[in-house]
Amino acid sequence: MQGRAIFSISTEWDQLGRGESTKLARDLDAVVRSPTPADIEQAKKNIQDGIDTLDQIEKELEQTRAKLANLKQRREAVQQDIQLNRSITSNLRTIPDEILSLIFEYYVESDPQASPWVLMSVCHQWRAAAVLARRIWSKIMVTHAVPSPQRLHKRLNERSSLGYEICHTVPLLEKALDRAAGVPLHLSFKFGDSRYSGVYGDADVISRQLLKTLKDRKVCLRIYELETKSTSTDWIKNVDFDGFEFPGLEKAWLTTSSKSLNERIKKTSSRLRWLNIEKNSDDVLDWDLSTRMPCLVHLWLSESGHDVPCRPETLKMLQNPPRLTVLKLWHVKLEPLPGDGSLSIPSLLTLEFYSAEIGCKLDLPSLRELIVDISRLPISETSPLVFPSLTSLVIKNCHYESLPDIRAPGPLMLDILTFQPPQSTLVKIMDDMIVPGHLSLRSLCLDTLDIRAELLSEFLNKVPNLEELEIRGTMLSPTTFSTDLVGHSLTAKTNLVNKDPLCKSLQTFKIGSSSLSSSDGGNIMRWFELAIKLRNKGRYPIKEASYWDGEAWVSVV
């Protein structure tokens, strides 16, 4: 190998010529012999020349970078100029401020979380149009002093997220009222402990000054929504609202601690349609809904505290309101009054019980929707609960011993969610309500039920006229899709049907956040798609079948 290298060098040397001074010859000579002082001087000169050349290159690069940065700035300026001219020619710039104001009003009214402050931050034109749209400034929160910059920042964020104008001083309140002059107001009282003092002075003094401003300017005449649910009960129960009138009030969130305010609303609010009352356990409900609230259609009554006592005035208050269509009872106990002792509301369409104990009879001939959540209803072997107009029944987290015999001619939409214990409750509904024909189901939703596949199949087998089925959060097995839904095994070599499938009238089948048990393995979606495909080849096809993939419903038909 070494001999071949020497021969190659020698051959190349001969080709160049011994007397010819070339770069290759100099390089070879420098490698072979030791450098002389002249060589060293020449090398130093070459190094310095290289450094000078690099410096020159760096200067040229710096000039090039400066030119590139200048070009980028000019490009951005031209792009901004183009964008500005495009915005000038945009159709949005030709919309009059009055039309924009109407659009802003529709936007704020259609979305409860919409904030006019977001519109104000777009451009000068939108800011001017937003100022003209007085209705979008109708949400005003009257509160006491802001004690710290951190809480002030929180209040400002609340203004942007909820759309309220936060008024913790009289000048701010007057400015907000001027901005919303002449339009109905949504007013919220949010007062804490009156003994607290903030950076603007004593909270109790500031709060009373704000209320005096409202009274002097007769703002209450324009209030159509009023909230006091975020107000300290210790503060509001000592406030005198004498002289306040609410003739235009339609919606109210109240607490029984505000006795003076409640009395003024009872006397002056004949147009009230929506009422939410938070009742303290020691307070008494003395609202006359039948005569003083002739327009009331929505009532939400909740009681605070544990071991809420049963008070007869609660049931007395609920007797025969003329137009009430929606009633929600949370943490309420109702016992029968002497005599008939039933809750009778002929106009009621929707009734919701949450953590309630109901011991009285229910006389609700027009009821269409019943929601029972962690509640106990009156149970009587001789007097079942009969709802002739019921079309939707939702049962959540109820023990089978707390459910009475419910009867409705149907067709009924039934939602069953998270029974405790689930199997006993499902058996009670099946044996006491569905099998005897007391409930005629058209639609069924099963949510978060920890039950055996055999019991689920037995339950579905006893609902012959079911048209819509949705299963969410419930462990399923391949048997549910094969022998139950299709009528034969999905792994069979032939498509011969061994038996009729369940739910022959089923037209819609949806599966939500369900999964196969770990012992079954496989993919539930694969079983589901295969079962629907095979069933649709038979005599009982399903028109709509879909599953939830975490973001949207995916159709398999």
Side-chain angles (χ1 to χ4, degrees):
M1 178 66 70
Q2 184 178 3
R4 292 180 181 178
I6 295 174
F7 175 78
S8 175
I9 295 174
S10 300
T11 303
E12 188 172 358
W13 180 271
D14 292 338
Q15 292 175 353
L16 293 172
R18 293 181 181 275
E20 186 177 1
S21 178
T22 63
K23 182 178 184 300
L24 177 61
R26 291 196 305 270
D27 293 342
L28 290 173
D29 184 63
V31 171
V32 172
R33 64 179 176 81
S34 300
T36 63
D39 294 336
I40 294 175
E41 289 297 327
Q42 183 64 36
K44 291 181 179 180
K45 182 177 180 301
N46 293 340
I47 292 173
Q48 185 61 42
D49 292 343
I51 292 174
D52 294 340
T53 304
L54 283 177
D55 291 341
Q56 183 64 30
I57 293 174
E58 287 294 337
K59 292 180 180 179
E60 294 179 0
L61 283 175
E62 192 66 29
Q63 294 175 358
T64 304
R65 293 191 187 99
K67 291 181 180 180
L68 181 61
N70 184 35
L71 289 174
K72 288 182 177 180
Q73 291 179 357
R74 290 174 58 190
R75 182 184 63 180
E76 293 178 359
V78 172
Q79 289 176 344
Q80 292 178 359
D81 185 65
I82 293 174
Q83 187 66 26
L84 176 61
N85 285 277
R86 284 178 176 174
S87 65
I88 293 176
T89 60
S90 173
N91 293 331
L92 287 176
R93 300 295 292 269
T94 62
I95 300 177
D97 290 348
E98 293 78 6
I99 303 300
L100 272 179
S101 300
L102 294 177
I103 296 175
F104 293 165
E105 290 179 4
Y106 176 79
Y107 163 70
V108 172
E109 291 175 359
S110 60
D111 185 1
Q113 301 298 324
S115 171
W117 296 98
V118 177
L119 303 174
M120 294 273 284
S121 61
V122 175
C123 63
H124 292 290
Q125 183 190 13
W126 281 36
R127 184 180 184 90
V131 172
L132 290 177
R134 298 189 182 277
R135 289 185 180 274
I136 69 176
W137 303 103
S138 61
K139 299 178 69 174
I140 298 176
M141 179 180 292
V142 181
T143 181
H144 59 61
V146 181
S148 65
Q150 291 77 11
R151 294 194 64 177
L152 176 60
H153 179 70
K154 180 180 179 181
R155 291 286 171 83
L156 294 178
N157 289 338
E158 193 175 46
R159 179 184 69 176
S160 298
S161 62
L162 300 178
Y164 284 103
E165 177 66 7
I166 311 299
C167 302
H168 51 273
T169 63
V170 172
L172 285 177
L173 178 58
E174 291 180 342
K175 184 178 180 180
L177 294 175
D178 292 339
R179 186 181 287 127
V183 299
L185 297 178
H186 179 165
L187 194 65
S188 174
F189 290 136
K190 192 172 184 179
F191 295 110
D193 193 344
S194 60
R195 296 169 297 177
Y196 190 86
S197 296
V199 295
Y200 294 96
D202 183 80
D204 183 70
V205 175
I206 295 294
S207 302
R208 297 184 184 278
Q209 289 177 352
L210 292 171
L211 291 178
K212 184 177 184 300
T213 302
L214 294 176
K215 183 178 180 180
D216 293 343
R217 297 189 56 162
K218 298 182 179 180
V219 174
C220 296
L221 299 177
R222 295 192 286 122
I223 296 177
Y224 77 98
E225 288 191 35
L226 178 64
E227 293 185 51
T228 62
K229 58 182 180 180
S230 299
T231 297
S232 170
T233 56
D234 293 334
W235 177 86
I236 200 169
K237 69 180 181 180
N238 297 319
V239 177
D240 185 10
F241 285 88
D242 187 32
F244 282 76
E245 295 184 358
F246 306 92
L249 188 64
E250 296 185 7
K251 296 183 179 181
W253 290 260
L254 306 175
T255 173
T256 53
S257 298
S258 56
K259 295 181 174 58
S260 177
L261 177 62
N262 293 346
E263 288 299 324
R264 297 304 304 168
I265 291 177
K266 294 175 188 177
K267 295 179 180 180
T268 63
S269 303
S270 59
R271 297 173 56 185
L272 194 64
R273 296 172 52 84
W274 201 103
L275 178 60
N276 181 358
I277 303 178
E278 295 182 2
K279 177 182 176 299
N280 295 322
S281 57
D282 297 332
D283 295 331
V284 177
L285 285 171
D286 55 352
W287 290 71
D288 187 358
L289 302 182
S290 59
T291 58
R292 290 189 176 181
M293 302 293 170
C295 299
L296 189 66
V297 296
H298 187 120
L299 176 61
W300 187 350
L301 176 61
S302 61
E303 297 196 22
S304 61
H306 301 283
D307 298 327
V308 178
C310 175
R311 296 186 179 275
E313 67 272 3
T314 304
L315 181 59
K316 183 178 180 181
M317 183 190 74
L318 297 174
Q319 294 300 321
N320 297 317
R323 297 185 181 180
L324 190 65
T325 58
V326 179
L327 175 61
K328 296 182 179 182
L329 299 177
W330 286 28
H331 308 285
V332 173
K333 291 183 179 181
L334 293 181
E335 293 295 338
L337 294 172
D340 181 19
S342 63
L343 177 62
S344 177
I345 308 178
S347 60
L348 195 65
L349 301 179
T350 300
L351 177 60
E352 178 180 346
F353 295 116
Y354 176 76
S355 188
E357 294 187 17
I358 309 301
C360 60
K361 298 179 181 179
L362 302 178
D363 182 13
L364 309 170
S366 302
L367 190 67
R368 297 180 182 177
E369 181 182 13
L370 176 60
I371 303 172
V372 184
D373 191 355
I374 325 178
S375 298
R376 177 182 293 274
L377 299 185
I379 298 177
S380 174
E381 297 181 358
T382 59
S383 300
L385 291 182
V386 180
F387 303 106
S389 302
L390 194 66
T391 59
S392 176
L393 174 60
V394 180
I395 303 176
K396 305 178 183 180
N397 305 296
C398 291
H399 195 278
Y400 72 97
E401 294 181 349
S402 64
L403 283 177
D405 182 8
I406 300 177
R407 300 187 181 186
L412 185 69
M413 180 186 301
L414 176 62
D415 287 0
I416 305 175
L417 297 89
T418 319
F419 285 146
Q420 299 294 338
Q423 298 187 18
S424 302
T425 308
L426 196 62
V427 169
K428 178 179 180 61
I429 295 177
M430 179 173 55
D431 293 341
D432 296 349
M433 304 181 196
I434 296 179
V435 173
H438 299 161
L439 295 181
S440 177
L441 300 187
R442 179 188 61 84
S443 175
L444 177 63
C445 175
L446 303 176
D447 192 346
T448 321
L449 296 184
D450 185 12
I451 60 174
R452 304 189 313 271
E454 297 80 5
L455 180 60
L456 177 60
S457 301
E458 182 182 356
F459 180 81
L460 295 177
N461 192 35
K462 295 183 179 181
V463 189
N465 298 322
L466 191 64
E467 298 179 6
E468 299 176 3
L469 175 61
E470 182 176 349
I471 301 178
R472 301 192 300 256
T474 301
M475 302 297 289
L476 302 176
S477 68
T479 305
T480 306
F481 299 104
S482 58
T483 57
D484 294 340
L485 186 62
V486 179
H488 63 81
S489 175
L490 298 180
T491 58
K493 300 298 183 181
T494 176
N495 289 335
L496 179 64
V497 177
N498 299 324
K499 66 174 185 178
D500 288 339
L502 299 178
C503 308
K504 299 177 184 179
S505 302
L506 196 63
Q507 300 296 315
T508 302
F509 189 18
K510 294 183 178 181
I511 295 182
S513 54
S514 304
S515 61
L516 288 171
S517 62
S518 57
S519 60
D520 295 321
N523 190 322
I524 189 173
M525 302 314 167
R526 178 171 59 86
W527 288 100
F528 181 52
E529 293 179 4
L530 181 58
I532 297 299
K533 180 179 179 180
L534 293 178
R535 173 156 175 161
N536 286 349
K537 292 181 179 180
R539 295 179 295 170
Y540 309 104
I542 296 177
K543 295 182 179 179
E544 180 183 352
S546 57
Y547 65 87
W548 181 258
D549 67 350
E551 296 181 355
W553 288 101
V554 179
S555 176
V556 299
V557 176

